[in-house]
Amino acid sequence: MAPHANGTNGTTNGHTNGIHTTSGSDLFVVDSPNVTYTENEITSTYTYRTTKVTKNADGKYVAQPVSTVYDFKTDRRVPKVGLMLVGWGGNNGSTVTAGIIANRKKLSWETREGKKHANYYGSVIMASTIKLGTDEQGKEIYVPFHSLLPMIHPNDLVVSGWDISSMNLADAMDRAGVLEPDLKCQVREEMSKMKPLPSVYYPDFIAANQGDRADNVLHGTKAEHVQKIREDIRNFKATNDLDKVIVLWTANTERFADLIPGVNDTAENVLKAVEAGHDEIAPSSIFAIACIQEGVPFVNGSPQNTFVPGIIELAEHHGSFIGGDDFKSGQTKMKSALVDFLVNAGIKLTSIASYNHLGNNDGLNLNSYKQFRSKEISKSNVVDDMVAANNILYKAGEHPDHTVVIKYMPAVGDSKRALDEYYGEIFMGGHQTISMSNVCEDSLLASPLILDLTIVTEMMTRISWRAHSSTGVTTKNYKGFHSVLSILSYMLKAPLTPPGTPVVNALAKQRAAMSNIFRACVGLEPENDMTLEHKLFN
């Protein structure tokens, strides 16, 4: 059998006896002694090859190939999954909900440009392909990324969430002003019945201009808020007969929380701070703590420092998955691709100037300096690892000048304007200037990222591993990946990584890491573009 159990034709997943069948056709099977398929599992034995570098007494680098053998086990049973969005009534929440309904119902709608059809464009999982290999004629064969492993399908997600605004999702969709009128008419009846649960509102953490929306807030202490969120998750799961729940923050950008010894530096201290109602426990941290304690993955799609050291430690203690930070949808995605290209081409960037203006509620909230500062930090660090990788162009500690400006312009609504100038040194004292204009329909770019983050996060809950020792003896028990899901980096501006590990921002490396980890789970080697078969002839 192929990596998918018998299922439907790829449009939606069937559901039987509490467990989904897997999605997609049986597109391929890996024919290898290192891969085993059973009804419920795929197991693979995979050799991970790296290079260890040391420096000898003469100062010369010594490179030593290193191989480590792992067993990966993937549960093929696709569960029934609920997605709970914090900020469900916002632009992103209402847009992604309407998009799921439209795709599930295979809707079409009229626009000035003609009829449009529901799709998942912009989703790396649902709308991109991955190279499987080459056929006998040397033709490269590509398959949908979604078919690589038995992943959940967004059409099958049950959606709910919280919001500080009580507005139902149909009215919230109108308020957002993102979707076409004909499409809105077709999903309105279903969305009008959707109303967010009361959410956590601490006015100091978001802009004062958000206060008018806050008519649907939880009362009581911070400790009571944690328990109420946990109760909401349990009720949602039970009511909808769900196997799993994923929680994702798509609410307002918060200001950065102050890092205070004794308050949020350890798991024990952060829980004590919640009980004491400390001012530096943010709403997003309340949701993170509730999810961690409930054993539910939590992903932060905004730039604030939700995951203070104490919360990361708490996730590690509970073995719960967390991921963040900040959706990477438009300007930053372009920057992480272009800077990687330029630095690898030997061009020394000396300055990057990035300007944005937008008119949605995100822009209104970012009009406040403390919230803007959170966004500025997440946008500004995106080039660091790429610059540090080239010690020919840059001395230790040297960076390009980098500035980020964001302005609120109500007239443009959700259609964000991003203007960038890249200025660099080239051959023999010359200079190159690249100017870019990028019009990003913000929520229509962010919504597919919400789906990608949900799909990949859920997939990681079904993958476990164990290592072989250097003597060939296998460790006894399988275990999950680290609680901090750095595999999500491709979708995020400021990727969260396990403490003490490097941050990778280069877009191509991020996608390769994700695809190659999934390839390893079915016993396939990393994608290799050497194509020696076309370069070596007798």
Side-chain angles (χ1 to χ4, degrees):
M1 292 181 68
H4 294 83
N6 294 327
T8 61
N9 63 3
T11 55
T12 59
N13 299 328
H15 185 258
T16 308
N17 297 326
I19 294 292
H20 275 296
T21 57
T22 53
S23 63
S25 304
D26 292 348
L27 290 180
F28 68 91
V29 60
V30 178
D31 183 8
S32 167
N34 294 324
V35 183
T36 302
Y37 298 105
T38 67
E39 182 178 359
N40 293 334
E41 293 176 349
I42 306 169
T43 55
S44 70
T45 298
Y46 178 80
T47 302
Y48 176 56
R49 294 179 173 88
T50 56
T51 304
K52 179 181 178 181
V53 178
T54 57
K55 187 179 286 188
N56 63 21
D58 298 330
K60 180 181 292 186
Y61 289 116
V62 178
Q64 178 184 8
V66 176
S67 296
T68 307
V69 180
Y70 294 99
D71 291 333
F72 290 102
K73 182 168 64 177
T74 303
D75 189 339
R76 302 177 72 179
R77 297 167 296 179
V78 180
K80 184 179 181 183
V81 176
L83 171 61
M84 299 192 79
L85 298 173
V86 189
W88 190 23
N91 286 30
N92 292 341
S94 59
T95 300
V96 74
T97 302
I100 291 171
I101 294 170
N103 275 278
R104 185 184 297 144
K105 294 183 174 182
K106 300 181 181 179
L107 298 181
S108 299
W109 58 96
E110 295 292 342
T111 73
R112 290 181 301 176
E113 298 173 346
K115 182 171 284 190
K116 300 294 182 181
H117 306 277
N119 61 59
Y120 284 119
Y121 292 172
S123 163
V124 67
I125 300 298
M126 300 303 301
S128 77
T129 59
I130 191 166
K131 181 181 173 183
L132 183 63
T134 56
D135 66 12
E136 294 177 351
Q137 287 72 45
K139 179 183 176 182
E140 294 182 341
I141 304 300
Y142 290 84
V143 296
F145 201 132
H146 188 256
S147 71
L148 194 56
L149 287 173
M151 303 183 199
I152 58 173
H153 196 292
N155 286 3
D156 297 320
L157 290 171
V158 181
V159 186
S160 184
W162 304 263
D163 203 284
I164 62 173
S165 170
S166 63
M167 190 175 284
N168 69 63
L169 265 289
D171 291 341
M173 174 177 59
D174 285 338
R175 178 176 61 188
V178 174
L179 299 172
E180 294 284 348
D182 188 19
L183 173 58
K184 291 195 294 182
C185 287
Q186 296 184 61
V187 299
R188 177 173 303 283
E189 181 178 359
E190 185 170 347
M191 291 182 67
S192 67
K193 300 173 184 176
M194 300 175 175
K195 185 174 180 180
L197 297 163
S199 192
V200 177
Y201 177 57
Y202 306 152
D204 180 52
F205 277 91
I206 60 175
N209 57 38
Q210 300 298 301
D212 292 343
R213 289 189 174 218
D215 63 354
N216 191 43
V217 301
L218 291 174
H219 301 288
T221 67
K222 293 189 174 184
E224 289 170 340
H225 293 166
V226 170
Q227 295 308 313
K228 182 61 172 69
I229 293 163
R230 293 184 65 178
E231 180 183 330
D232 288 342
I233 294 170
R234 289 195 295 269
N235 288 342
F236 174 61
K237 186 175 182 181
T239 300
N240 293 281
D241 192 26
L242 302 173
D243 302 304
K244 294 179 183 178
V245 174
I246 309 291
V247 176
L248 189 145
W249 177 280
T250 183
N252 278 320
T253 295
E254 299 172 338
R255 68 166 175 84
F256 261 46
D258 293 335
L259 299 181
I260 304 173
V263 173
N264 47 22
D265 54 343
T266 68
E268 181 181 2
N269 287 338
V270 81
L271 293 178
K272 288 180 179 178
V274 170
E275 291 294 331
H278 197 283
D279 289 343
E280 288 306 306
I281 301 297
S284 60
S285 293
I286 291 290
F287 276 95
I289 292 167
C291 291
I292 290 167
Q293 292 181 329
E294 199 61 27
V296 168
F298 178 78
V299 180
N300 175 36
S302 292
Q304 70 271 350
N305 61 338
T306 298
F307 300 116
V308 293
I311 290 181
I312 294 176
E313 184 179 294
L314 185 68
E316 292 172 333
H317 286 176
H318 283 264
S320 294
F321 284 136
I322 57 174
D325 297 305
D326 201 6
F327 301 133
K328 181 165 57 184
S329 57
Q331 184 181 57
T332 306
K333 183 171 285 186
M334 298 293 292
K335 186 180 295 182
S336 62
L338 185 57
V339 172
D340 188 36
F341 158 69
L342 291 171
V343 172
N344 282 331
I347 295 172
K348 183 177 182 179
L349 283 172
T350 54
S351 74
I352 305 169
S354 297
Y355 165 85
N356 306 257
H357 67 261
L358 68 164
N360 59 18
N361 192 58
D362 184 36
L364 180 61
N365 182 61
L366 292 174
N367 212 29
S368 172
Y369 175 74
K370 287 184 178 180
Q371 284 67 40
F372 162 72
R373 180 60 183 150
S374 295
K375 179 69 75 170
E376 183 182 36
I377 291 170
S378 76
K379 279 178 165 283
S380 297
N381 294 335
V382 69
V383 304
D384 289 356
D385 62 307
M386 293 169 263
V387 168
N390 193 324
N391 58 13
I392 299 174
L393 298 179
Y394 300 97
K395 300 175 183 177
E398 185 182 5
H399 294 86
D401 295 334
H402 192 181
T403 187
V404 177
V405 177
I406 302 175
K407 295 296 182 182
Y408 177 56
M409 297 284 283
V412 303
D414 202 63
S415 188
K416 180 170 65 176
R417 271 64 169 168
L419 307 173
D420 293 87
E421 181 183 274
Y422 299 85
Y423 182 68
E425 296 182 22
I426 57 175
F427 187 57
M428 301 302 289
H431 293 90
Q432 180 178 20
T433 302
I434 300 173
S435 297
M436 294 180 59
S437 175
N438 183 9
V439 179
C440 320
E441 292 187 278
D442 211 28
S443 298
L444 296 175
L445 288 174
S447 292
L449 298 183
I450 291 173
L451 300 176
D452 286 338
L453 289 164
T454 302
I455 293 167
V456 176
T457 297
E458 191 287 318
M459 191 71 251
M460 296 306 293
T461 68
R462 291 186 282 126
I463 299 174
S464 54
W465 65 275
R466 62 184 181 183
H468 294 222
S469 72
S470 58
T471 60
V473 178
T474 306
T475 53
K476 182 178 180 181
N477 297 321
Y478 283 90
K479 54 186 177 181
F481 277 62
H482 192 276
S483 289
V484 177
L485 289 177
S486 58
I487 193 174
L488 304 178
S489 296
Y490 181 82
M491 285 78 75
L492 298 161
K493 284 190 185 77
L496 187 70
T497 62
T501 64
V503 176
V504 175
N505 284 295
L507 198 66
K509 288 183 180 180
Q510 292 173 335
R511 191 183 192 278
M514 181 168 57
S515 62
N516 287 333
I517 288 172
F518 288 170
R519 290 174 69 90
C521 292
V522 291
L524 294 176
E525 292 294 313
E527 291 193 49
N528 188 326
D529 294 318
M530 293 172 67
T531 60
L532 290 178
E533 62 272 25
H534 303 310
K535 297 177 172 65
L536 305 178
F537 295 91
N538 292 329

